[in-house]
Amino acid sequence: MRYELDARRMLCPMPVIKAQNKIKDLAVGDILDIFCTDPGALNDIPAWARINGHVVLETSEQDGDIVVTVQVNE
Amino acid sequence: MEEQHKAVALISGGLDSMLAVKVLQEQGIEVEGINFYTGFCVEGHTHAIRNKDKDKQKRNNALWVAEQLGIKLHIVDVIQEYKDVLLNPKHGYGANMNPCLDCKIFMVNKAVEWVKENHKNGFDFIITGEVIGQRPMSQRKQTMPIVAAESGADDILLRPLCAKNLPATKPELEGWVDREKLHDFSGRSRKPQMALAKKYGFTDYASPAGGCCFLTDKNYSDKLVDLWKGRGSREYEMDDIMLLKVGRHLRPKGEYKLIIARDAGESKYLEGYRKQYTSIQATSHNGPLALIDGDIDPEDYSHAASIVARYGQGRDADEVEVLVSIPNQEKQNLKVQPLSSEQVLEDWHI
Ligand code: SF4
């Protein structure tokens, strides 16, 4: 399943916390697109994912938002 | 096979907790980290709002530390619960609005809860990077047992960097950890930590000057106290504490204050608040965006606008046109004369 998370206007580490809490409820293989506006998320979400064993499939920009796509792995 | 005992470490992002974890990893103990976000934590990213800091490294130090150590990190949002710690600290405040001792007790208590929840996975003790005498308020010989007792952690709280100066804890008594290989650091000197960092090959670690959060900062604390005074209540929301980190804050009248962006980066950040706050920005000249926080009398819009105009390129003009945007209301165009620097009174600055 593919899900979306709105973390716009949140400053780090809130987007990471929101992503972490959402991913807790997802199944292995699920994909989460996290929409952020704090550029810090480009660094923090991938760092969080690496530490916790998840995979960042892509980081992109869409209409001024930063989108980090994570696949749940553990 | 001998049972594997695991520890959860309070990770602030600083060197001490990083070393504390490493000391235990050297003994073969598996550690996971926990980091609490109070809303006041020092974050590189909030500095990144400003243009001039754009090149500064953007990283979350707690995540960075965890990655260096190869441990998992759980970041916990404690913004709501932390309000009670900040507003009613049993042990009082430090030099500024920092309730460090209560804060430590609160965080260790949260870690105790976490250990209970994760006991089935082998977690049975807590470690911190505390060092006796390192910090005047929270890390003294007398406060170490207070943290252990009031947090409910008691003998499952181990401080690897100064354990030898303290009574043995359960992990030491039960032989899960070799007390001999722990440390006896004490005092304000950072030399022992730096030597240990060198031994482990840690470089590039963060060393925040004050502490782990904005509450140790005088300027920030002053703004927080002013906010409470201006509102006549000590309530605060996440937006309030974020906005205290941005812009210059001026209170020309008791009822309201102005938050004036200091550069384009801050203006852009404040844009996000225009739906919630009345905002002022010059239209005839380039100038910063300003938010109004508080109950402003509409008669004061002109005065507020003349202050804001002072900080834009129209500061020397006879007249500046400004737009006042009030959420869910008609926008107002005003023409004002910018105040001179003498007219912007010193005691308006918070
Ligand atoms: S500096 Fe801030 S986060 Fe650190 S112990 Fe003190 S109050 Fe808590």
Side-chain angles (χ1 to χ4, degrees):
Chain A
M1 289 279 284
R2 191 158 186 150
Y3 299 86
E4 274 188 14
L5 179 71
D6 182 4
R8 294 177 186 92
R9 281 196 50 229
M10 286 178 191
L11 289 179
C12 284
M14 283 314 290
V16 184
I17 297 176
K18 293 279 170 203
Q20 169 191 273
N21 296 350
K22 175 84 189 172
I23 284 174
K24 253 184 223 149
D25 300 330
L26 301 186
V28 173
D30 281 349
I31 292 173
L32 183 65
D33 292 308
I34 308 152
F35 291 79
C36 320
T37 44
D38 182 351
L42 277 175
N43 205 49
D44 289 2
I45 296 176
W48 176 84
R50 283 196 299 276
I51 293 168
N52 292 285
H54 306 296
V55 184
V56 173
L57 298 177
E58 194 185 3
T59 54
S60 61
E61 248 195 271
Q62 277 176 33
D63 307 323
D65 293 333
I66 293 158
V67 190
V68 184
T69 306
V70 179
Q71 182 160 42
V72 182
N73 206 17
E74 267 182 27
Chain B
M1 206 182 90
E2 207 186 311
E3 219 182 319
Q4 167 79 20
H5 295 276
K6 298 184 195 169
V8 66
L10 258 57
I11 300 289
S12 64
L15 177 61
D16 293 5
S17 45
M18 187 178 186
L19 291 172
V21 173
K22 186 72 184 173
V23 167
L24 284 209
Q25 285 179 321
E26 293 280 289
Q27 295 201 23
I29 305 276
E30 193 180 322
V31 182
E32 288 190 12
I34 191 163
N35 171 260
F36 297 102
Y37 184 59
T38 63
F40 296 100
C41 305
V42 174
E43 279 306 319
H45 309 144
T46 48
H47 299 293
I49 298 167
R50 293 200 71 181
N51 287 349
K52 73 174 175 63
D53 297 327
K54 276 242 158 83
D55 298 334
K56 259 199 202 161
Q57 202 176 10
K58 292 188 195 117
R59 76 174 189 203
N60 175 302
N61 284 309
L63 285 168
W64 181 82
V65 162
E67 194 164 18
Q68 300 302 305
L69 294 164
I71 63 172
K72 285 193 174 176
L73 182 73
H74 311 275
I75 309 181
V76 186
D77 166 3
V78 291
I79 294 167
Q80 288 304 326
E81 289 166 87
Y82 192 75
K83 286 183 178 174
D84 191 48
V85 180
L86 173 59
L87 297 176
N88 308 302
K90 185 174 153 196
H91 299 279
Y93 299 100
N96 293 297
M97 289 304 290
N98 49 313
C100 289
L101 186 48
D102 289 85
C103 177
K104 259 282 140 58
I105 294 167
F106 168 78
M107 289 183 180
V108 174
N109 173 263
K110 297 295 289 178
V112 171
E113 284 172 18
W114 193 91
V115 165
K116 279 186 191 147
E117 278 162 32
N118 292 278
H119 186 66
K120 55 184 184 309
N121 301 323
F123 287 92
D124 34 29
F125 65 107
I126 299 161
I127 62 170
T128 70
E130 290 167 290
V131 169
I132 294 172
Q134 182 82 196
R135 294 205 189 275
M137 184 178 188
S138 55
Q139 299 188 25
R140 287 179 292 131
K141 186 123 193 171
Q142 305 90 297
T143 61
M144 297 274 164
I146 297 178
V147 174
E150 293 190 13
S151 65
D154 296 316
D155 62 351
I156 61 161
L157 174 58
L158 175 69
R159 288 103 163 184
L161 301 186
C162 63
K164 280 181 170 168
N165 297 326
L166 292 167
T169 58
K170 189 172 178 187
E172 297 158 278
L173 293 169
E174 298 278 334
W176 308 338
V177 170
D178 181 355
R179 181 173 168 94
E180 278 317 300
K181 292 185 186 142
L182 303 177
H183 294 272
D184 60 355
F185 299 171
S186 77
R188 289 189 72 89
S189 166
R190 303 286 301 155
K191 284 202 185 113
Q193 283 96 319
M194 277 147 86
L196 196 57
K198 197 163 170 209
K199 180 182 151 198
Y200 290 141
F202 294 157
T203 51
D204 199 26
Y205 45 82
S207 41
C212 11
C213 80
F214 274 103
L215 296 170
T216 57
D217 183 81
K218 164 130 186 23
N219 213 277
Y220 189 89
S221 293
D222 288 349
K223 286 188 203 159
L224 184 61
V225 173
D226 166 82
L227 178 90
W228 289 338
K229 219 173 115 199
R231 293 203 178 149
S233 124
R234 301 209 304 157
E235 277 307 301
Y236 65 85
E237 294 306 323
M238 189 61 191
D239 281 340
D240 297 321
I241 51 185
M242 282 298 156
L243 286 173
L244 293 182
K245 301 176 191 173
V246 188
R248 66 180 99 237
H249 291 230
L250 283 88
R251 188 177 289 282
K253 260 195 166 178
E255 302 86 78
Y256 78 94
K257 73 167 175 180
L258 287 163
I259 304 169
I260 307 174
R262 290 169 292 191
D263 58 34
E266 288 194 342
S267 282
K268 188 163 181 289
Y269 180 72
L270 293 182
E271 285 272 339
Y273 287 93
R274 284 180 105 156
K275 285 202 186 97
Q276 289 154 265
Y277 292 81
T278 296
S279 61
I280 299 182
Q281 191 162 29
T283 49
S284 55
H285 298 77
N286 278 334
L289 181 67
L291 301 183
I292 295 176
D293 182 30
D295 286 325
I296 185 171
D297 183 333
E299 299 217 330
D300 288 327
Y301 284 147
S302 289
H303 188 238
S306 62
I307 299 171
V308 177
R310 151 94 199 93
Y311 293 96
Q313 284 176 3
R315 64 176 67 86
D316 298 319
D318 292 333
E319 198 174 72
V320 170
E321 286 172 37
V322 299
L323 187 69
V324 180
S325 314
I326 309 153
N328 308 317
Q329 282 186 38
E330 253 332 93
K331 290 185 170 53
Q332 291 188 24
N333 282 294
L334 298 176
K335 287 180 181 162
V336 297
Q337 186 180 11
L339 293 193
S340 66
S341 60
E342 296 80 44
Q343 285 170 317
V344 177
L345 302 183
E346 200 41 54
D347 34 300
W348 292 351
H349 289 270
I350 309 163

